[in-house]
Amino acid sequence: MKEIKLKPLAASILSLSLLTVMAGAAVAPALEVIREYFSDAGTMAVQLIVSMPALFIVITNLFFSRLASRFGSKTLVMLGLVLYTVGGCCAGLCSSIAAVLVLRALVGVGVGIIMPLSTGLLTYYFPPEKREGLMGLSSAANQLGGVVATLLAGVLSGISWRMSFLVYIMGLISIVLCLVFMPNDRIGSPQQPGKTGSSGVWRRNFWHIAAMFLLMTAFFIYPANFAIVTAAEGAIPMSLCAPIMAGLDLVAFAGGLAFVHIKRGIGRYTRFVAPAAFLCGYCLLAFVGGWVGTLAGCALVGFANGVGVPCIISAASANEGRDAATTVMPMISASLYLAQFVSPFLLSLVSGIVPDALRLPYYLAAAVSALLLVCSAFENN
């Protein structure tokens, strides 16, 4: 590794984080417009536009270690970025919801390749004393990408729901950076995908993996339902949904930047910050509502996401060291996106038990947040 390449390499890896966590939810502000166009499709089918990529991310993550043992990191990144960009943009060309969902699946395969590398390569190339700061920057980049994507999708959906999918053209930024600066090191080895090693990684990181699942279940209930609940309540104009969601991402961006300082200040108790903020935020959305409850609740949900993701990833990465990209990161990634895929089905199940509750998504998210708070007590970070 050449020392002079570290800064542009860091920029290249961090650029991947602009694209990953919000991959499915980037077009969330356009869901109501898309639902109107596909009026013959059910609400669940429309919500799958947000969550479909998650299923294929999880499937791809199951095979990531084998891919990493056979191909260089640049080769994998470029493949993932092409699938992400082409699959994402071309969904706007479709006139059938089935075709849209197929292309969303391709986006999922692309992100399934990119996601473990977007955090794991930071562990692979950079020493421990720089990792927590870089993990915080990675989380902040996630949220910055969300801000840009959410605002852009909101503006473009005002022109046409098809135009909203052009947010995925952001992948071109990473394509250029990674093509120029990223080395093609083979970071995996044929021994790593073995059963013993995988089971050992699972045991060491079980609570981190479980915490990521709960954290993302709580978070992704928000983008999949906020526009729909807001439209039904009518207290806040629909035209402000996209700016509010973008504001949440700005708060999450600040949370990512603040993570390293919070960790230095309260150490191992940092793991309780995100669950507590989620719980308070969703209680405000569920029981207060209106302008005050909505804005304050969204801010707390955003802050929780910004702090929670790097907290879990940095703790899991510390357990596995340089091998994190091909050991624990695919598991963390699979947990993250499995939560995104499962959340609408979980909500649908609960809706059948408690029908006609407008703010039911927020009640469910508050319950999941409370469970995350309990789970966090078992994490060994």
Side-chain angles (χ1 to χ4, degrees):
M1 179 176 51
K2 298 178 181 179
E3 198 70 28
I4 59 170
K5 295 288 185 180
L6 284 179
K7 286 187 178 179
L9 176 59
S12 302
I13 298 171
L14 290 172
S15 76
L16 300 177
S17 296
L18 288 168
L19 314 174
T20 51
V21 172
M22 292 296 289
V27 293
L31 276 187
E32 187 64 22
V33 182
I34 295 171
R35 188 170 69 128
E36 290 174 4
Y37 182 85
F38 294 109
S39 56
D40 56 338
T43 300
M44 176 64 70
V46 175
Q47 288 180 334
L48 279 174
I49 291 173
V50 170
S51 57
M52 178 63 80
L55 175 62
F56 286 85
I57 293 167
V58 173
I59 294 170
T60 305
N61 285 160
L62 296 177
F63 302 99
F64 181 80
S65 293
R66 290 185 176 90
L67 292 173
S69 69
R70 296 179 184 179
F71 302 100
S73 54
K74 178 187 277 190
T75 301
L76 289 174
V77 166
M78 296 308 296
L79 174 61
L81 288 172
V82 169
L83 290 172
Y84 173 93
T85 306
V86 175
C89 292
C90 288
L93 301 176
C94 302
S95 296
S96 126
I97 197 163
V100 171
L101 293 177
V102 168
L103 286 167
R104 300 296 285 163
L106 289 181
V107 171
V109 174
V111 177
I113 295 170
I114 296 168
M115 180 63 185
L117 295 170
S118 71
T119 50
L121 288 177
L122 295 175
T123 304
Y124 185 82
Y125 285 112
F126 295 89
E129 62 271 16
K130 293 186 177 180
R131 286 176 196 162
E132 284 188 354
L134 287 170
M135 291 297 177
L137 287 174
S138 177
S139 178
N142 281 151
Q143 309 311 325
L144 180 61
V147 171
V148 175
T150 301
L151 285 175
L152 192 55
V155 171
L156 292 173
S157 66
I159 303 171
S160 166
W161 70 268
R162 298 180 185 278
M163 296 290 288
S164 64
F165 287 95
L166 287 177
V167 295
Y168 291 94
I169 207 166
M170 289 169 58
L172 291 176
I173 298 171
S174 291
I175 287 175
V176 172
L177 286 172
C178 294
L179 192 62
V180 175
F181 297 114
M182 184 170 288
N184 202 28
D185 296 331
R186 190 170 297 184
I187 61 175
S189 66
Q191 292 75 31
Q192 283 178 334
K195 184 176 179 181
T196 302
S198 296
S199 62
V201 173
W202 173 264
R203 285 194 301 271
R204 286 192 297 274
N205 296 281
F206 172 78
W207 290 109
H208 301 312
I209 295 167
M212 181 62 82
F213 178 82
L214 292 171
L215 186 142
M216 286 294 109
T217 299
F219 173 70
F220 278 112
I221 287 172
Y222 172 87
N225 294 278
F226 180 72
I228 295 171
V229 173
T230 301
E233 285 191 329
I236 295 174
M238 274 297 297
S239 60
L240 295 179
C241 278
I244 290 172
M245 294 176 79
L248 176 146
D249 293 327
L250 280 173
V251 175
F253 174 77
L257 292 178
F259 163 70
V260 66
H261 304 291
I262 296 171
K263 185 69 181 290
R264 287 171 184 166
I266 61 176
R268 62 193 182 93
Y269 296 106
T270 305
R271 65 186 187 269
F272 296 111
V273 172
F278 265 132
L279 184 57
C280 292
Y282 279 118
C283 283
L284 285 169
L285 287 166
F287 300 111
V288 178
W291 281 99
V292 173
T294 298
L295 294 179
C298 288
L300 284 169
V301 168
F303 182 77
N305 188 47
V307 173
V309 172
C311 181
I312 295 170
I313 289 177
S314 65
S317 296
N319 283 349
E320 303 303 316
R322 289 193 77 199
D323 293 331
T326 54
T327 55
V328 72
M329 282 304 107
M331 295 181 183
I332 293 287
S333 175
S335 177
L336 188 160
Y337 288 103
L338 181 62
Q340 183 178 348
F341 182 75
V342 166
S343 59
F345 293 99
L346 179 62
L347 182 59
S348 179
L349 176 64
V350 176
S351 297
I353 301 171
V354 188
D356 303 323
L358 182 59
R359 296 182 182 177
L360 180 62
Y362 302 147
Y363 302 147
L364 176 61
V368 174
S369 302
L371 188 57
L372 174 62
L373 190 61
V374 175
C375 178
S376 298
F378 293 92
E379 288 185 74
N380 59 342
N381 56 335

